[in-house]
DNA sequence: CCAAAAGTGTTTAGCCTACACCCATGC
DNA sequence: GCATGGGTGTAGGCTAAACACTTTTGG
């Protein structure tokens, strides 16, 4: 393996500015063309797929670190971000960066906090960094194999997302500002992986009482133009608070 | 404040053997005399109450660290242990150990993984360590104020315990090997803080299908001797698996 | 007119609660 | 006999699922 001088230089910066042994990995969900997507990186050194992640600055909270890392990667600020588990097995990152010196930042043992994030696909401009040849959205129906324990992290995040769907409102961060009810229903169906009854779905959303019907319609379709809705941010967040902690 | 040479010596050992910046804090629940109890320490330096916690050895997984710390403190091995959240605010431990040098292990910034534990009260022998003047069970109805963010950690753990009670079997690790149905019901009532209907409780437990009726009875009471039960470990753990991750 | 969207009504099944009744048993 | 424990029956209420019917409307 050819050693990358850029990595070695960056390594020094990391040791000075970040907390050692702790990392953050995020499972970033987006919704586009009726598919649930996850943001993935392909490392240019190891040629393996990974979740986007990063490290914690010495004067930065864990939550802020997750937010910053996500912003650096996507430019998105209007995100839902929640910590959902710590991954602390000893051999998590075994075998990576084998050719490098032992004092390379990335060769440390890391304990990683897993975050799951919901972002508006249309608001995101993905950008690879110097270690990754690509950063791209992948449909969850067509995921490549993930390296290290990232497969596990991803699975846990998806499970949690599906669980939360049944008792929390989901959507504010996954959809553009205005959307139609059929679009919202498609989102739910995609996440759950099964069709939902339209009438019941309509009533359920109305019961949440978090939607505001807009004046305008989504024109241009072949048939009746559906109403546009937006979320009522206040009621939406109330609804998020009330349920669990 | 008088500086403690023992702490300074121990600090050196910590730097050599533990992962910096990462800690583990456990909310340890026990059940005794119809009260739900939590294990607390009172620090002899700061005279403040804290949850029992510890650090991660360099060649130890996070989960193992939590298990070890708990064992060192209680001697209990038959425990239920689950990570439930990371606490990573910047000023979590502000003000502690103010009189000491900045390179004191304990003065670092720590990001802490919160574990909640269920243990059999009768199996536990609590032991204070060199930093705590007492280590004792406190009823959750009579908790002292906890220092740092330990109040928050405790509250989150209790909330989770109450939630899990409704869809997971709870009890294997909180009760002695053999117990009666009224005792199990009391445990549930204590955790939830409200009385439950006996007949419905009976049916619910039977529906879980995780109890084994013993031959013998709990003799000695004033009235009819109740049956003793034990958990079927296989079915108990199946039941734990199936539901969420 | 057709197909999608919007809104509402109804039936059914399942579940949890509350309550009540039975029997057994130790003192 | 009386208080506790063990076990079962049942009526009411709530919710979710399934299905159906109506009206509106863009092209």
């Amino acid at each position: 393996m050819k050693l990358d001088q850029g990595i070695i230089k960056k390594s020094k910066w990391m040791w000075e500015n970040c907390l050692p042994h702790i990392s953050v990995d995020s499972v970033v969900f987006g919704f586009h063309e009726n598919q649930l997507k996850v943001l993935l990186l392909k490392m240019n050194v190891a040629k393996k797929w990974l979740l986007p992640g990063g490290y914690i600055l010495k004067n930065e909270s864990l939550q802020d670190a997750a937010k910053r890392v996500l912003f650096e990667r996507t430019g998105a600020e209007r995100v839902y971000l929640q910590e959902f588990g710590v991954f602390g097995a000893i051999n998590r990152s075994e075998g990576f960066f084998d050719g490098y010196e032992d004092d390379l930042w990335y060769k440390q043992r890391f304990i990683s906090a897993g975050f799951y994030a919901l972002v508006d696909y249309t608001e995101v401009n993905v950008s690879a960094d110097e270690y990754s040849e690509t950063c791209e959205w992948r449909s969850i129906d067509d995921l490549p194999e993930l390296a290290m324990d990232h497969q596990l992290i991803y699975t846990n995040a998806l499970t949690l997302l599906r669980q939360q769907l049944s008792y929390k409102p989901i959507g504010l961060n996954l959809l553009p500002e205005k959307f139609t009810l059929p679009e919202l229903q498609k989102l739910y169906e995609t996440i759950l992986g099964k069709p939902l009854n339209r009438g019941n779905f309509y009533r359920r959303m109305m019961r949440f009482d978090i939607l505001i019907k807009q004046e305008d319609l989504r024109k241009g379709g072949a048939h009746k133009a559906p109403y546009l809705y937006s979320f009522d941010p206040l009621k939406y967040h109330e609804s998020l608070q009330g349920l669990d902690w």
Side-chain angles (χ1 to χ4, degrees), chain A:
Chain A
M1 187 190 292
K2 154 178 151 285
L3 298 193
D4 181 333
Q5 291 306 315
I7 286 192
I8 293 170
K9 195 167 174 189
K10 191 74 184 271
S11 169
K12 291 208 178 95
W13 189 90
M14 291 292 189
W15 281 112
E16 279 160 28
N17 295 285
C18 294
L19 293 186
H21 300 300
I22 311 178
S23 60
V24 165
D25 286 303
S26 296
V27 183
V28 185
F29 292 106
F31 184 63
H32 184 60
E33 288 177 347
N34 291 337
Q35 289 190 313
L36 188 62
K37 311 224 168 189
V38 179
L39 204 56
L40 294 184
L41 295 174
K42 188 170 188 182
M43 309 302 289
N44 53 20
V45 180
K47 304 283 177 202
K48 292 187 174 171
W49 290 93
L50 285 177
L51 296 169
Y55 308 99
I56 299 145
L57 297 176
K58 286 184 176 168
N59 63 346
E60 181 184 48
S61 79
L62 181 66
Q63 184 82 23
D64 285 347
K67 198 184 289 181
R68 174 182 51 79
V69 167
L70 186 55
F71 177 76
E72 286 169 4
R73 183 74 64 199
T74 64
E77 298 204 71
R78 198 168 139 271
V79 297
Y80 177 83
L81 197 58
Q82 186 192 319
E83 190 269 333
F84 69 91
V86 199
F87 299 83
I90 321 184
N91 55 351
R92 296 186 58 235
S93 54
E94 221 161 50
F96 265 67
F97 300 103
D98 263 353
Y100 289 83
E101 297 287 325
D102 280 349
D103 66 352
L104 186 79
W105 170 265
Y106 309 93
K107 266 186 105 166
Q108 290 177 78
R109 173 187 169 192
F110 284 106
I111 287 178
S112 194
F115 281 78
Y116 96 90
L118 308 179
V119 307
D120 177 358
Y121 186 93
T122 62
E123 220 187 85
V124 166
N125 287 304
V126 295
S127 58
D129 60 12
E130 59 262 56
Y131 315 128
S132 34
E133 54 182 62
T134 52
C135 175
E136 58 183 67
W137 290 105
R138 296 287 298 244
S139 163
I140 62 164
D141 300 321
D142 171 38
L143 284 189
E145 196 186 333
L146 302 182
M148 302 192 347
D149 56 357
H150 285 202
Q151 192 70 46
L152 176 67
I153 298 177
Y154 158 74
T155 308
N156 284 3
L158 183 59
T159 305
L160 183 62
L161 174 60
R162 286 186 171 147
Q163 274 176 20
Q164 300 205 340
L165 203 58
S166 56
Y167 64 96
K168 281 191 183 190
I170 299 265
L172 173 61
N173 307 281
L174 280 172
L175 292 174
E177 177 132 9
K178 294 182 181 183
F179 51 90
T180 67
L181 272 185
E183 283 164 5
L184 184 61
Q185 183 173 347
K186 269 274 174 280
L187 170 63
Y188 271 68
E189 292 178 335
T190 306
I191 294 177
L192 292 176
K194 66 177 184 190
L196 297 174
N197 179 279
R198 193 187 51 77
N200 296 336
F201 181 79
Y202 175 83
R203 269 181 293 232
R204 188 139 74 91
M205 288 306 118
M206 290 306 128
R207 232 180 310 129
F208 270 134
D209 190 31
I210 52 174
L211 293 179
I212 302 174
K213 198 173 187 169
Q214 304 298 122
E215 293 295 310
D216 40 349
L217 307 170
R218 166 89 77 227
K219 307 272 187 181
H223 305 288
K224 180 188 173 182
Y227 296 111
L228 284 169
Y229 286 85
S230 68
F231 288 106
D232 180 333
L234 248 76
K235 290 187 174 170
Y236 188 95
H237 287 107
E238 259 175 43
S239 184
L240 264 183
Q241 298 302 325
L243 298 156
D244 68 9
W245 45 295

